[in-house]
Amino acid sequence: MAATTLFDEAFYLRINEARWAAAERLLAQVERASAVTLRSCLDVGCGVGWFTARLATRGLRVEGLDGRPANLEEARRRVPGVVFHGLDIQAPNDTAGLPSYDLVVCFGLLYHTENPFQVVRNLRRLTRNVLLLESIVIPGESPTAWLVTESDNETQGLTTYALIPTRACLLKMLEAAGFPYRYEYAGSIAHEDFTESAARHRRRRFFVASRVPLKADQLVETTAVHAPKYDFTRR
Ligand SMILES: C[S@@+](CC[C@H](N)C(=O)[O-])C[C@H]1O[C@@H](n2cnc3c(N)ncnc32)[C@H](O)[C@@H]1O
């Protein structure tokens, strides 16, 4: 019998549905309008395989990756026939044995890692064409990050601490890791974490990084981010 996990809570499923609706729309448009082939796919930080299962229904040859054995065991039960890898995506060499994939999907993971830059570098190595990356980002214009203590449950990071980047920081990491084309999805995503309000800053963003130019409605190309030395002048 399938184990019930935090991934099955109503609040979790609600944000999954919102993210998947946007991702599915975007993937369909990218495939229609861009000169890119998406056949193989890796779902990084797959948890119990919710997105893995949906990616498979799109006809993609999907594999999953997660660093938690219990999540992998449940994912294998829920999404039979899919290969799941038990690896730490922030370790410099753990993913060296994996091939590259036409499409890499990494939702809800980056902000649970203490070395997001290494994660982005590993994602770049694993990506043959397109990376879909969804993350929490902290508000702010500078390329900085915020250190947090992680909670201790199956949805969190493998280490006690995580660094959460700003949008600029994340875009700079994508650029530095070697993604020549970096986009942000500007379409609506039906969840409050993706909207700015009078009371709360927008919490999450959806990025597409690519090795080939892409076209799709609501895909906004971003420009290079400047990462200067810190200015210690008192003002
Ligand atoms: C918040 S869940 C995201 C699950 C799913 N992708 C989603 O968006 O709903 C984060 C997942 O990443 C996994 N994870 C965290 N740190 C990881 C790491 N360094 N390497 C591999 N997996 C990791 C966790 O075990 C968990 O399954």
Side-chain angles (χ1 to χ4, degrees):
M1 199 176 73
T4 304
T5 68
L6 272 178
F7 294 108
D8 303 304
E9 296 286 333
F11 73 90
Y12 213 104
L13 297 173
R14 189 166 71 83
I15 193 166
N16 279 2
E17 294 289 357
R19 290 182 295 173
W20 177 243
E24 212 182 8
R25 219 164 36 230
L26 185 62
L27 282 174
Q29 285 187 14
V30 162
E31 283 178 303
R32 209 177 308 125
S34 315
V36 67
T37 308
L38 302 178
R39 292 212 179 90
S40 60
C41 173
L42 181 67
D43 181 9
V44 176
C46 61
V48 295
W50 197 94
F51 289 103
T52 323
R54 275 142 193 91
L55 289 159
T57 63
R58 294 199 86 257
L60 288 156
R61 211 167 55 244
V62 190
E63 297 177 9
L65 183 158
D66 204 277
R68 271 208 170 70
N71 289 351
L72 288 166
E73 193 183 328
E74 188 57 21
R76 288 186 183 113
R77 189 163 24 222
R78 292 186 187 194
V79 201
V82 165
V83 171
F84 288 95
H85 305 276
L87 297 171
D88 179 354
I89 191 65
Q90 71 179 342
N93 298 317
D94 268 23
T95 57
L98 294 184
S100 61
Y101 299 79
D102 296 335
L103 173 68
V104 172
V105 170
C106 182
F107 289 174
L109 164 65
L110 192 82
Y111 55 88
H112 287 305
T113 63
E114 64 180 28
N115 192 346
F117 208 158
Q118 184 64 55
V119 173
V120 170
R121 288 192 190 284
N122 288 344
L123 292 174
R124 163 65 184 76
R125 207 193 52 69
L126 292 166
T127 304
R128 189 175 307 136
N129 288 325
V130 177
L131 166 68
L132 290 196
L133 177 64
E134 182 269 332
S135 183
I136 289 177
V137 288
I138 58 159
E141 300 302 314
S142 60
T144 50
W146 185 268
L147 185 67
V148 296
T149 308
E150 284 279 277
S151 305
D152 184 16
N153 67 58
E154 65 268 32
T155 69
Q156 303 284 296
L158 306 182
T159 46
T160 311
Y161 298 99
L163 266 180
I164 309 182
T166 59
R167 173 183 181 276
C169 182
L170 181 41
L171 285 170
K172 187 69 193 176
M173 293 191 287
L174 289 167
E175 177 192 330
F179 284 105
Y181 304 95
R182 300 159 309 276
Y183 306 86
E184 183 167 354
Y185 178 67
S188 75
I189 303 176
H191 189 279
E192 60 278 9
D193 276 8
F194 291 92
T195 44
E196 184 84 16
S197 75
R200 268 173 81 88
H201 289 289
R202 179 178 179 155
R203 193 163 175 243
R204 292 174 182 267
R205 289 181 183 272
F206 203 145
F207 301 95
V208 182
S210 178
R211 299 177 67 177
V212 291
L214 301 177
K215 281 201 199 108
D217 288 348
Q218 310 288 352
L219 209 51
V220 179
E221 187 160 7
T222 66
T223 51
V225 172
H226 187 44
K229 301 253 188 269
Y230 191 81
D231 180 358
F232 287 87
T233 312
R234 283 185 192 273
R235 303 203 189 275

